[in-house]
Amino acid sequence: RPLRSDATDSRAPPPWSPPAPLAQQHTMLRRVAPPLRRALASSAVPHRGGARLLDPGLSSPHALPPQWRRWASAAAASSLPPPPPSPPQGPPRHAGGGSAASSLNPAEVAKFAAIAETWWDSQGPFKPLHLMNPTRLSFIRSTLCRHFRRDPYSAKPLEGLKVIDVGCGGGILSEPLARMGATVTGIDAVDKNIKIAHIHAASDPTTASIEYCCTTAEDLVKENKQFDAVISLEVIEHVANPLEFCQSLSALTVPNGATVISTINRSMRAYAAAIVGAEYILRWLPIGTHEWSKLVTPEELVLALQRASISVEEMAGFFYNPLTREWSLSDDTSINYIAYGIKKSEAPSATPQ
Amino acid sequence: FSPKPQVLRRGGSDPEGLEGLLQRAGGSVRAAGTLPLREDGLEKVGGVRAGDDELDVAIVGGGMVGLAVACALSNMPLTKHLRVAVIDSNPALKSTNYLKKDGIPDSRVSTVTPATISFFRDIGAWEHILQQRHAFFGKMQVWDYTGLGYTRYNASDVCKEYLGCVVENKVLCNSLLLRLQEQKEDIEKMVYPTRLVSLAFPSKSRNVGVAGLKPPSTEAEELRRSNLVKLDLSDGQTLYSKLVVGADGSKSNVRQIAGIKTTGWSYPQSAIICTVEHTAENDTAWQRFLPSGPIALLPIGDNFSNIVWTMSPEEASRHKSMSSEDFVMSVNRALDFGYGPHPNSSSLDHYVERLFSDFGGTAASTKECFEVPPRAIGLISERMAFPLSLMHSHDYVSKRLALVGDAAHTVHPLAGQGVNLGFGDAAALAKVISEGVSVGADIGDLSLLNRYENDRKGANVAMAAVLDGFQKMYSVDFGPLNVLRAAAFHGAQYISPLKKNIISYAMGDRKSPLFS
C-alpha cells in the first residue's frame, strides 16, 4: 500500500493500519528498489499534512479566501495546526455525508473554483495545460488507436467509443476527444467548470454533443456506468485518497477497456520544475496548485492501479523545452508523466499478487 | 504540438491487412457492455447539423499558392475530409483540360526548385505538369557587365539531374486543378467564382444573445456561427469558416481587412517579361547583371525562352514601347557584348580551384568556360512590365487566419524564388493543419497557426534578406564594389564547397547558404 491517506481531510478514514497478510507486503517490498522501499515503509505512519522533506507548508486547507496568495501567506504565517474539524466552504458536491468513498478534497475543489473563468484563456492560469494538451493528446491517440485497433491515419479514430474525462475542468481534453470522434462524457466536481465547459463546447457542432455532469467518479460507479476508456489527467494529485480514486476509475472502465492517468512525479526535479519553477518563478500556476506531498510517483501509481485490476502497459514522460517553448513526449518520467493501462477482463481478486 | 508517438514503447504493430479488415468490417475490437456505434453521420452531432455554408477552410485566392493549399489538404489522409472552398472570380478555374503544348508560351512563368517539385510530387500534381509544357534545366551561368568574373552552376555539382524547372504559371494552376478534380468529385461546389467583399472575425460583440424568442435550432446555429469567420461574397452569398487562408496576392484584401501590418519598400526598378525564340533549344538559365538591373534568359521548352529584364521604370516604358525588332536587338546586346566585355578566367583562378578541390571534391562546372548565351531571333509574345517591391507581413497568422504566398511576402525576382517560398508556405500550412486534426484541435486556434508562422517566417525573412542584399549590391557601379563582386563571382565559380552550398540553398535543399 504505497499511498498514505491525507489526514487533513475531515472525512478521511481512520489512520491506516497495514492489511493482512503483512508477510506478503514485506515480500513485495523486498523486490522493490531501496529508495521506494523507504518511501513505502515511512508512509505507514499517517502524516499530519507535512511531507518528509521541505514543503512550502501549504497543506492547511482551512480559511479559504478567494485569492490564493492571501491563502498561501495566511497558511505560512500560522504554524502547522492540527487538522480542522470545521466543514469546508466552497461549492464541492459530495454524495451524502460520512461516506469514505468520496475522493474529493474540499480544499482542492475550492482552489479550482476560484479560477474557473480562466479555463479557456490560453494565457491565463491554465496556460501550461493548454501548452501541454496536444502532447498528451498524441499519447492518448496513439495508445487508444492501438488498443482498439483503429486506423491511425483516420481523422476520427475514436468513432463509436464511449470515453469519460474524469476531472474535465473546462473541457480542454474533452473537446479534442470529441473531435476525434469519441462519445465523450465529462465530469468535474466544480459546478462552474461544468457550466463553462458546456458553453464553450456548444460553439462547435462536433463538440456540442459532449455530456457534462457535475458529479464525482464514485457517484457514477454507484450508478453502474461504464466506459470503453476512462481518462483522468492531472487529477490524482488533487484527490483525497488516490488509492480509492484508482479503484473508482477502474470500476468505471469496462473489462479490457483502457485507463489513462497523468500526473506529476514526486521527485526533486518535479519539485524544482513543477512547483518552484511553474508556480514561483514562471508564475504559470497560482502558488499552491500542487502540494509536493500529494504527488504520486510512477511506481506508486502502477501499484495502486494494479490493486484496482488495471495493468499499466505504457508510460511516457513529458518534457518542456524552454527554448522552443514546446512540450514533447520522452522516456523521462521524472516530472510529468502519463500512463496507459488495461483493465483486466476477470473480476479483481481480493488478495494482492 | 509535437506529436512524437515513436518515443513510446511499442509492443508490436498490427499488420496493415488486419487493421484494414477491421475498418472495412465497420467495427472495432469493442469490449463487451458498450453501446453500439452511433447511427449519426459525420455532420449531424447531437441533433445539430452543420449547414452547407459552414466550411472548415476557406481559401481566398485561387492562384498557384491557394490551389496548392487546397490540393495538399485534399491529399493528406487526416485532412481530406475537411470542407475546403476556394474563392476566386477567375474564370480559368472552371476549365479542366490539359493545355496544349503547341500554343504560344505565356510570358508569366515561374522557376520551380527541386524542393517545390518534390512537394508537387507528394500531392500528386507533378504528373499533370509533365503532360504539359515544361523545361528542366541543368546549367546556369551568372555574370555581370564589368567582365571581371562569371559563375557557372551545373546540377551534377550536387549530383542532381536538374537545377530546376521552368513552368508557365497557368500550367501550374491547371495541374493543381486537375489533381483536385481527381480527388474530389464535387469540385464545382468547391470553387466559388466570386470575389470576397468583407470578412468578419469572431469577437465578443458578434455573440448574439437573444434568448427564448427563436427556436433552439437557430440559437444553436447562431452560437456556432458566432465562433466562425463570416465571409461575404460579391454574389450575395455568406459563408462561415473555421479558418480563412489568405492567398490573394501582394495586395491582399484579406490581410488588409485583418489589419496586419507590413514592412517593405519599392525597388526603383520594373521588370519586363516576354517570350523570345531561338534557332535551337536552350538548356541553360542565363543571368547577367547590368548597371540598371539583371536580365535573365530562362528556357521554357522547344526553342523558346522567357526574358525577365529588370531596369528603371523609364527604361522599362521605353523598352516596352519600342518595336519588336529593336527590342530583340537590345536583348541580344544586353546578353552579349553590350555594356562591357566578356569575362575570362586567369591563372589565379586556376590556382584557387586546385587549392579548394582538396576540400570536398571538385564541381564539374568549375572547369567550364564562359559561354555566350544563344541569340534571340524573334519576339513572340507581348511585353509586360511590373513594378518590383519587397514586402513582408509582420504576422503571418492571427486568430482563424493564415496568410500564404505573396499575401505574406514578396521578394525581388532575381533568383526566381518568390513562388517557391509560397509553395513552401502551402506545404507547411497543410502539415500544421494535419497535425492539429490528429490531436483533435480546433484548426483555427492561434497556438496551432503560430507553429506555421514559426516554421516559415525565419526561412522567408532570410531569403528575402539575401535577395535584397544581392539587389543592392548589384545596383551600384562603384570601383571597389565592382572588384568585390568580381571576387564573389570568382569565389563562387572556383571554390567548389561554396558553390555546392549556394546551389543547395537555391534549390531548396538547405535552410541557409552558409551554415548547415
Side-chain angles (χ1 to χ4, degrees):
Chain A
R1 185 211 55 93
L3 302 162
R4 55 207 181 289
S5 59
D6 186 352
T8 58
D9 183 357
S10 56
R11 275 190 264 293
W16 176 84
S17 51
L22 201 53
Q24 280 194 349
Q25 291 283 332
H26 288 163
T27 318
M28 190 175 70
L29 280 180
R30 227 176 285 133
R31 274 189 266 128
V32 162
L36 178 58
R37 203 187 310 148
R38 279 197 293 275
L40 291 176
S42 69
S43 63
V45 178
H47 288 263
R48 286 215 280 164
R52 285 171 290 128
L53 298 176
L54 185 54
D55 172 71
L58 300 174
S59 50
S60 157
H62 72 293
L64 294 166
Q67 300 291 330
W68 286 31
R69 305 255 160 76
R70 269 180 27 218
W71 175 62
S73 55
S78 63
S79 53
L80 281 181
S86 59
Q89 292 119 41
R93 263 191 25 144
H94 297 284
S99 140
S102 165
S103 62
L104 292 176
N105 181 341
E108 301 279 353
V109 165
K111 268 191 226 173
F112 284 98
I115 52 171
E117 281 88 16
T118 55
W119 264 105
W120 286 99
D121 176 11
S122 55
Q123 304 301 315
F126 291 107
K127 179 171 164 181
L129 272 183
H130 281 278
L131 287 178
M132 210 200 291
N133 207 29
T135 320
R136 37 189 216 172
L137 278 162
S138 72
F139 177 90
I140 292 173
R141 183 197 170 94
S142 84
T143 48
L144 292 187
C145 273
R146 245 175 301 121
H147 181 83
F148 294 107
R149 307 238 167 80
R150 296 300 175 93
D151 175 13
Y153 289 111
S154 155
K156 291 194 184 242
L158 307 180
E159 189 88 46
L161 293 176
K162 280 177 61 187
V163 179
I164 180 170
D165 180 7
V166 179
C168 63
I172 290 184
L173 182 75
S174 308
E175 292 195 11
L177 288 174
R179 286 200 196 97
M180 287 201 243
T183 312
V184 181
T185 306
I187 67 169
D188 197 273
V190 177
D191 199 42
K192 252 203 258 182
N193 288 345
I194 294 294
K195 290 204 173 69
I196 288 174
H198 194 76
I199 292 172
H200 194 272
S203 50
D204 182 345
T206 30
T207 58
S209 60
I210 300 176
E211 207 186 298
Y212 285 113
C213 293
C214 181
T215 177
T216 66
E218 289 75 25
D219 290 340
L220 282 189
V221 169
K222 287 200 195 93
E223 293 171 38
N224 288 324
K225 289 270 166 66
Q226 284 201 321
F227 300 86
D228 296 312
V230 171
I231 306 183
S232 180
L233 305 187
E234 311 295 320
V235 174
I236 194 167
E237 69 264 27
H238 298 286
V239 300
N241 191 331
L243 201 60
E244 308 219 356
F245 184 65
C246 289
Q247 297 278 357
S248 308
L249 292 185
S250 171
L252 286 174
T253 318
V254 300
N256 273 328
T259 307
V260 182
I261 295 182
S262 91
T263 184
I264 304 178
N265 197 344
R266 192 181 69 246
S267 64
M268 285 320 295
R269 277 190 69 192
Y271 181 72
I275 296 182
V276 175
E279 291 179 16
Y280 288 86
I281 298 177
L282 292 175
R283 303 288 164 129
W284 275 357
L285 302 170
I287 292 178
T289 309
H290 293 118
E291 288 179 39
W292 194 83
S293 57
K294 297 184 65 164
L295 299 179
V296 177
T297 67
E299 296 86 3
E300 291 169 355
L301 184 65
V302 169
L303 289 172
L305 287 173
Q306 235 173 40
R307 286 188 181 248
S309 319
I310 294 176
S311 77
V312 173
E313 300 289 314
E314 281 185 40
M315 202 182 280
F318 293 130
F319 167 69
Y320 179 69
N321 185 340
L323 294 174
T324 60
R325 276 173 289 157
E326 276 177 9
W327 286 90
S328 51
L329 289 170
S330 78
D331 278 336
D332 176 12
T333 58
S334 59
I335 306 178
N336 294 77
Y337 67 95
I338 187 167
Y340 144 74
I342 304 180
K343 168 115 177 256
K344 293 197 186 58
S345 47
E346 65 274 6
S349 56
T351 54
Q353 298 306 308
Chain B
F1 288 78
S2 305
K4 287 194 179 94
Q6 63 269 23
V7 181
L8 308 175
R9 297 167 216 130
R10 285 175 186 262
S13 56
D14 242 36
E16 194 61 24
L18 181 61
E19 275 187 17
L21 192 66
L22 285 168
Q23 277 301 98
R24 280 194 296 275
S28 61
V29 177
R30 217 183 301 131
T34 56
L35 293 177
L37 273 174
R38 289 184 308 156
E39 322 242 319
D40 301 307
L42 226 54
E43 286 166 351
K44 181 158 178 270
V45 270
V48 169
R49 195 181 286 274
D52 281 335
D53 55 350
E54 287 178 26
L55 309 163
D56 293 313
V57 182
I59 303 174
V60 180
M64 297 184 278
V65 179
L67 289 177
V69 175
C71 212
L73 287 176
S74 75
N75 213 58
M76 292 174 150
L78 284 169
T79 53
K80 51 163 61 134
H81 68 286
L82 291 178
R83 302 176 68 173
V84 178
V86 177
I87 299 168
D88 194 316
S89 52
N90 186 352
L93 287 178
K94 290 295 186 182
S95 79
T96 50
N97 300 316
Y98 280 133
L99 298 173
K100 291 199 261 304
K101 281 194 195 181
D102 43 5
I104 293 177
D106 208 29
S107 350
R108 304 216 62 183
V109 306
S110 299
T111 315
V112 290
T113 57
T116 303
I117 294 175
S118 68
F119 168 58
F120 268 68
R121 280 214 181 96
D122 288 341
I123 62 179
W126 188 250
E127 54 200 41
H128 297 294
I129 292 187
L130 294 177
Q131 305 287 332
Q132 302 171 81
R133 182 173 21 233
H134 62 284
F136 287 100
F137 61 94
K139 291 186 280 193
M140 195 157 116
Q141 179 176 291
V142 184
W143 74 111
D144 72 350
Y145 64 95
T146 58
L148 294 174
Y150 72 99
T151 310
R152 282 188 72 89
Y153 298 109
N154 197 312
S156 54
D157 296 345
V158 287
C159 309
K160 296 274 161 73
E161 286 173 13
Y162 48 82
L163 289 172
C165 185
V166 184
V167 190
E168 291 155 78
N169 290 357
K170 63 182 189 197
V171 168
L172 285 167
C173 284
N174 203 43
S175 312
L176 291 165
L177 268 175
L178 283 165
R179 177 60 179 161
L180 269 176
Q181 223 197 353
E182 280 176 8
Q183 301 265 346
K184 300 201 183 273
E185 301 87 30
D186 57 344
I187 191 173
E188 300 293 318
K189 284 202 261 169
M190 199 172 132
V191 177
Y192 286 79
T194 61
R195 279 182 313 106
L196 179 73
V197 170
S198 73
L199 272 182
F201 287 97
S203 63
K204 298 256 183 316
S205 56
R206 262 181 66 200
N207 274 330
V208 183
V210 180
L213 295 177
K214 300 191 188 168
S217 65
T218 323
E219 259 186 41
E221 205 176 71
E222 280 195 19
L223 178 61
R224 231 173 39 239
R225 288 180 174 179
S226 66
N227 198 32
L228 303 173
V229 185
K230 182 160 165 279
L231 300 101
D232 293 309
L233 305 180
S234 60
D235 63 356
Q237 288 183 75
T238 304
L239 295 175
Y240 296 89
S241 177
K242 285 188 190 151
L243 173 66
V244 171
V245 176
D248 45 349
S250 52
K251 296 186 191 54
S252 168
N253 198 5
V254 171
R255 188 188 68 225
Q256 278 165 14
I257 295 177
I260 294 180
K261 298 197 181 24
T262 62
T263 298
W265 45 84
S266 314
Y267 291 117
Q269 291 170 328
S270 297
I272 291 211
I273 59 174
C274 61
T275 314
V276 298
E277 195 177 0
H278 304 288
T279 48
E281 199 169 339
N282 175 17
D283 64 348
T284 309
W286 311 88
Q287 176 146 303
R288 188 182 189 203
F289 285 92
L290 302 175
S292 57
I295 177 169
L297 186 75
L298 305 166
I300 48 175
D302 305 322
N303 292 350
F304 302 116
S305 288
N306 184 268
I307 301 249
V308 180
W309 193 353
T310 307
M311 57 184 83
S312 66
E314 304 79 31
E315 289 278 301
S317 46
R318 193 169 66 83
H319 276 85
K320 193 169 165 194
S321 45
M322 60 169 64
S323 71
S324 42
E325 293 82 17
D326 286 340
F327 182 75
V328 170
M329 253 181 30
S330 182
V331 162
N332 286 327
R333 193 172 157 263
L335 285 172
D336 194 353
F337 52 87
Y339 304 93
H342 292 168
N344 40 31
S345 40
S346 66
S347 51
L348 177 65
D349 296 322
H350 296 302
Y351 173 70
V352 166
E353 175 202 339
R354 272 200 308 278
L355 183 69
F356 279 94
S357 66
D358 296 333
F359 304 102
T362 14
S365 56
T366 51
K367 299 205 167 30
E368 288 172 16
C369 297
F370 173 81
E371 282 178 25
V372 177
R375 279 179 53 83
I377 55 174
L379 178 71
I380 56 166
S381 79
E382 290 303 312
R383 287 157 273 176
M384 293 195 250
F386 298 95
L388 300 177
S389 62
L390 169 77
M391 184 273 289
H392 208 96
S393 290
H394 290 192
D395 305 302
Y396 285 13
V397 299
S398 77
K399 192 160 188 283
R400 298 203 181 280
L401 168 72
L403 298 176
V404 290
D406 278 1
H409 45 75
T410 65
V411 295
H412 200 280
L414 64 83
Q417 294 291 336
V419 81
N420 293 294
L421 296 179
F423 287 129
D425 292 350
L429 183 62
K431 178 165 152 272
V432 158
I433 292 178
S434 169
E435 282 172 7
V437 168
S438 81
V439 288
D442 179 0
I443 55 176
D445 187 32
L446 187 57
S447 51
L448 175 68
L449 296 174
N450 273 332
R451 273 179 66 82
Y452 154 69
E453 178 172 343
N454 292 338
D455 190 11
R456 289 303 298 168
K457 212 182 203 183
N460 290 344
V461 167
M463 178 64 83
V466 164
L467 297 177
D468 192 56
F470 269 114
Q471 191 272 335
K472 295 205 162 30
M473 228 174 57
Y474 283 97
S475 55
V476 179
D477 184 15
F478 179 52
L481 191 58
N482 290 358
V483 171
L484 256 179
R485 292 202 303 255
F489 272 126
H490 285 266
Q493 170 65 2
Y494 294 107
I495 300 180
S496 300
L498 178 63
K499 180 195 289 255
K500 289 180 187 173
N501 278 5
I502 292 175
I503 297 181
S504 296
Y505 178 58
M507 281 169 65
D509 291 340
R510 286 171 72 98
K511 297 274 185 215
S512 145
L514 289 174
F515 308 105
S516 59

